[in-house]
Amino acid sequence: MNRKLLSRSILHTLTRSKLRCFLMSIGIVLGVAALVVARAMGAGAEEKMLDSISRMFSASSLMISARGMMGASHTGPITTLEIADIEALAAEIDEIIAWDPMQVISGQDVSAQGQVRQMAVYGISHQAETVWNRGVTAGEFLSEEDVRSAARVALIGTKAAAALFGDEDPVGRQIHAGSVPLQVIGVLEPYGIDPHGEDRDHEIQVPITTLMRRMKKVEHIFAAKLVIDDPEQAEETADRVTAILRQRHALAKDERNDFAVTTPALVREMVKRANRVLQVFLPAAAGVALLVAAIVIATVMLMSVRERIPEVGLRKAVGATDRQISWQFFSEAVTITLISALAGLGLGLTVITVASRRFQIPMALTAETVILSLLAAAIVGVLAGLLPARRAARLDPVAALK
Amino acid sequence: MIRMRKICKSFQRPDGPRLDVLKDIDLDIEAGELVAVVGPSGTGKSTLMNLLGLLDRPDAGSYELADTSVAELPSDALARLRNRKIGFVFQQFHLLPRASAIENVELPLTYTDNVEDPEARAKAALRQVGLEDRMQHFPHELSGGQQQRVAIARALVTEPDLILADEPTGNLDRSAGEGIMGLFRELNTAGRTILFNTHNPELARLASRTLRIEGGSVAESTAPSPEWQEPRYES
């Protein structure tokens, strides 16, 4: 067999019947483009989520949070985690270089000059600035003295400030959180939406001692963030934290932890799981589109086999074997599919570029996605080519030439 | 060249008994002959052509083509023989509409192993049929006679032992048909063995030998005559 002649003939068949070619390729082009865009959106969303999480929760962070004991007849908040626990951890574990305890009142009425807004009030320490990597754009951050003395001072988020004071400078002004008067000493850096969906610019932050003693009137905290010096040691440090806390909370061997230690690895795992919809289900939908495209190609090819019965008869008469006929039709399907897949890839890339540049939609294209989409298209081509190829090869030359 | 013995072929009619199209056909054709197969329509001329061309298998009997017994060969081997030993010319031309003249002529070489320069061979074949100036034309740009010449070039390109033409002038007007028959005569003079079907007795007179098929058998066969009549082409 002369492969060069057959290849040329296949190319001519495709290029000289443009409508048929268009019908066969459109499904693949759109399917591959959809697959690529869907995967890029998924990867982009994950990247953005990881980005926003790593801003809050870097690789050198550990998070301790109070947690209910499963199966215990315990209701209401866990009150066993205290600042003293965190102080003890910091004293015993050298890897801990900074820490910040946290307590919160969500949905607190905060008022100023007749305006009332509901917002979250966070209790933090003077170390929050470094531990959470969020400082102030105007005024000053909390001082160690503010925390020690449970001072009546507050930091205010930009949106909260705009809601209460409009365009006026909030620094130095009085606000009330419930009945507690607070003086605004600083404006928090804009932050945006956190991974829990909270708008972190519509909040105020006060010394944790002020929140615990004067406002919420509790002895416990609900979480604390630790900064450790060696991210490589995060898991080991987490184990030591767990051991020390269990001991301090006098938990028996068969008792569950009344706290949770969250490591960076765990957070990443959670993000990936949350993104499964984007990473798996959207591409799966695009995969269904590709399957439909395969059916379209197979149908158009079957129609074209019928139309090309004389051609098949002629080729057999001049010496084509069944297998060579089959190979020709099969190659046509695979060729059109792969060319369409490349076109779809180009279209997908264009959409990704426009979406991310023009509309700031987070998109990330991975080599994996490119390979996956080309592979999917190749499978589609093979599936779509098999049936028409078989049908063509089985034609009886005598009947075909009538 | 061709030796057929007791060849039988029958077809199942959709309603009723089997129809014996060919019964116990004995046929010998020597290299260099120009043979016309005549007979009324539906008498088995095309069936004989398909059997000779290895497109169909007989129900019984033996067939030797160029000293090869072909009755028992698998279909791939038959395809290879069709490619090397036989060139087909059809009433409907059967050119690929989306391929140029030279591409159509190259088609059989697609299935031939080790062809050095298919383009040169296709050009030579087109030159033989007088179409060297129409090589890049597409079938719809050619007249019927020219299309049939392209088809003949396609039959010649593999240098086959035997050319089989099924009603080669059936779709052509008179002058184009004369041209095709003249070309067959030329090719025959140059040594080609050609067998053609026709129901036109005038065309049959151009052959060196005429076979009449009737009632499923070769009813009449005139011996090769050394002196041909110049054709009086009447229809």
Side-chain angles (χ1 to χ4, degrees):
Chain A
M1 191 170 68
N2 191 317
R3 285 182 187 282
K4 219 167 101 187
L5 283 178
L6 189 61
S7 312
R8 192 189 65 190
S9 159
I10 287 168
L11 279 181
H12 282 176
T13 303
L14 295 177
T15 54
R16 289 173 187 170
S17 44
K18 296 199 169 56
L19 180 65
R20 185 201 297 159
C21 200
F22 172 77
L23 284 176
M24 288 199 281
S25 53
I26 186 76
I28 299 287
V29 172
L30 295 181
V32 166
L35 184 67
V36 168
V37 171
R39 295 258 318 171
M41 269 174 72
E46 179 169 315
E47 213 166 74
K48 190 176 182 197
M49 212 150 157
L50 283 175
D51 190 52
S52 95
I53 282 177
S54 66
R55 190 164 47 147
M56 203 174 109
F57 198 84
S58 69
S60 53
S61 313
L62 287 181
M63 190 82 171
I64 301 167
S65 44
R67 194 181 68 173
M69 286 171 285
M70 303 271 283
S73 60
H74 192 104
T75 53
I78 307 303
T79 57
T80 48
L81 190 64
E82 295 181 351
I83 290 180
D85 286 328
I86 314 301
E87 283 172 339
L89 289 172
E92 280 194 48
I93 304 174
D94 290 338
E95 283 84 356
I96 297 174
I97 51 177
W99 55 275
D100 180 59
M102 203 201 296
Q103 183 53 282
V104 68
I105 303 173
S106 47
Q108 171 74 55
D109 281 341
V110 176
S111 60
Q113 40 183 32
Q115 299 284 338
V116 185
R117 290 288 186 281
Q118 263 199 356
M119 62 185 74
V121 181
Y122 282 86
I124 57 166
S125 77
H126 58 285
Q127 296 209 66
E129 185 172 11
T130 52
V131 171
W132 291 101
N133 192 22
R134 187 184 186 192
V136 290
T137 54
E140 286 170 5
F141 206 78
L142 302 180
S143 67
E144 192 171 357
E145 172 62 19
D146 290 332
V147 176
R148 200 184 52 72
S149 65
R152 291 184 178 85
V153 294
L155 305 174
I156 191 164
T158 50
K159 285 188 186 161
L164 294 176
F165 297 106
D167 292 337
E168 295 170 42
D169 181 8
V171 177
R173 307 287 287 269
Q174 278 276 315
I175 57 173
H176 282 80
S179 59
V180 179
L182 300 164
Q183 189 186 21
V184 176
I185 60 167
V187 178
L188 287 162
E189 270 177 47
Y191 190 96
I193 312 291
D194 75 7
H196 303 287
E198 307 280 346
D199 186 348
R200 298 300 305 268
D201 295 324
H202 192 70
E203 68 179 23
I204 61 171
Q205 297 187 352
V206 300
I208 187 159
T209 43
T210 311
L211 186 102
M212 288 166 72
R213 287 181 216 158
R214 301 183 195 280
M215 297 168 71
K216 202 170 185 179
K217 299 188 171 64
V218 292
E219 293 298 318
H220 65 276
I221 57 175
F222 94 94
K225 184 178 172 185
L226 311 179
V227 178
I228 55 175
D229 59 0
D230 185 2
E232 302 284 310
Q233 300 291 315
E235 298 299 321
E236 288 84 343
T237 309
D239 288 345
R240 288 178 66 196
V241 165
T242 302
I244 292 167
L245 283 181
R246 282 187 67 86
Q247 194 185 359
R248 284 183 61 86
H249 292 184
L251 295 176
K253 259 207 169 112
D254 55 347
E255 266 183 294
R256 285 175 172 271
N257 292 343
D258 57 354
F259 57 89
V261 182
T262 309
T263 61
L266 201 63
V267 168
R268 267 160 209 287
E269 185 52 41
M270 278 157 50
V271 169
K272 284 216 155 61
R273 211 172 300 161
N275 267 324
R276 201 159 289 168
V277 174
L278 285 171
Q279 290 281 40
V280 175
F281 292 111
L282 269 184
V288 171
L290 278 178
L291 201 67
V292 173
I295 294 168
V296 170
I297 291 190
T299 310
V300 174
M301 288 271 307
L302 282 175
M303 277 167 17
S304 104
V305 167
R306 183 169 301 179
E307 178 195 315
R308 288 161 69 189
I309 284 174
E311 175 188 336
V312 174
L314 174 71
R315 285 180 183 273
K316 286 192 164 186
V318 301
T321 61
D322 290 1
R323 194 182 307 174
Q324 286 165 339
I325 293 288
S326 169
W327 173 249
Q328 178 195 346
F329 278 80
F330 184 73
S331 305
E332 275 179 27
V334 172
T335 305
I336 182 83
T337 310
L338 286 182
I339 292 173
S340 311
L342 289 177
L345 203 59
L347 180 64
L349 288 178
T350 312
V351 170
I352 288 169
T353 312
V354 170
S356 55
R357 294 246 175 92
R358 188 76 55 87
F359 303 105
Q360 272 76 48
I361 299 168
M363 296 265 191
L365 185 71
T366 60
E368 203 177 276
T369 296
V370 173
I371 293 166
L372 181 88
S373 54
L374 290 183
L375 202 68
I379 292 170
V380 164
V382 169
L383 288 179
L386 281 176
L387 191 61
R390 226 168 93 101
R391 176 89 42 106
R394 286 187 167 187
L395 283 175
D396 170 26
V398 173
L401 284 167
K402 274 205 174 124
Chain B
M1 170 71 56
I2 285 175
R3 188 181 146 88
M4 276 185 160
R5 289 294 176 268
K6 299 212 174 296
I7 290 287
C8 296
K9 185 72 185 175
S10 64
F11 292 102
Q12 183 67 52
R13 271 191 291 211
D15 49 345
R18 287 186 78 84
L19 173 69
D20 291 322
V21 180
L22 298 175
K23 272 188 298 193
D24 295 331
I25 298 276
D26 291 346
L27 183 61
D28 291 275
I29 292 169
E30 302 304 325
E33 284 193 281
L34 175 58
V35 181
V37 179
V38 297
S41 321
T43 50
K45 294 195 302 288
S46 293
T47 303
L48 178 64
M49 202 61 103
N50 291 334
L51 292 175
L52 285 169
L54 308 175
L55 290 171
D56 207 352
R57 290 173 188 273
D59 299 333
S62 69
Y63 174 20
E64 281 174 28
L65 172 67
D67 298 326
T68 313
S69 179
V70 297
E72 304 296 323
L73 289 177
S75 64
D76 279 11
L78 291 184
R80 224 163 292 136
L81 280 176
R82 283 198 297 273
N83 183 247
R84 293 199 200 130
K85 309 270 185 205
I86 300 168
F88 287 97
V89 177
F90 306 96
Q91 182 177 358
Q92 331 277 352
F93 320 144
H94 285 308
L95 298 178
L96 299 183
R98 294 192 173 96
S100 65
I102 188 158
E103 286 166 4
N104 266 293
V105 175
E106 281 173 327
L107 184 71
L109 299 177
T110 308
Y111 306 103
T112 312
D113 295 322
N114 309 319
V115 176
E116 282 295 318
D117 190 350
E119 199 182 334
R121 285 181 60 174
K123 277 181 182 165
L126 278 165
R127 216 169 289 129
Q128 277 190 73
V129 300
L131 280 180
E132 59 269 39
D133 55 343
R134 294 282 191 278
M135 293 197 284
Q136 300 306 328
H137 286 56
F138 283 79
H140 64 89
E141 298 166 333
L142 299 171
S143 71
Q146 287 171 330
Q147 290 188 46
Q148 193 61 300
R149 280 168 185 271
V150 173
I152 291 169
R154 180 182 64 199
L156 290 170
V157 78
T158 54
E159 304 280 336
D161 297 332
L162 173 69
I163 289 181
L164 294 174
D166 194 357
E167 300 276 1
T169 61
N171 272 16
L172 299 177
D173 61 28
R174 186 170 157 175
S175 70
E178 278 174 6
I180 294 299
M181 287 317 296
L183 179 59
F184 276 161
R185 295 263 315 258
E186 267 174 46
L187 293 170
N188 178 246
T189 309
R192 299 262 169 222
T193 313
I194 301 173
L195 188 143
F196 66 96
N197 271 355
T198 182
H199 56 261
N200 184 341
E202 293 298 327
L203 290 183
R205 292 179 58 179
L206 298 173
S208 57
R209 182 176 161 207
T210 304
L211 301 174
R212 170 166 294 273
I213 301 224
E214 211 157 16
S217 54
V218 185
E220 170 198 330
S221 164
T222 59
S225 93
E227 359 171 351
W228 296 343
Q229 303 278 315
E230 270 310 305
R232 284 178 298 121
Y233 206 104
E234 286 165 17
S235 54

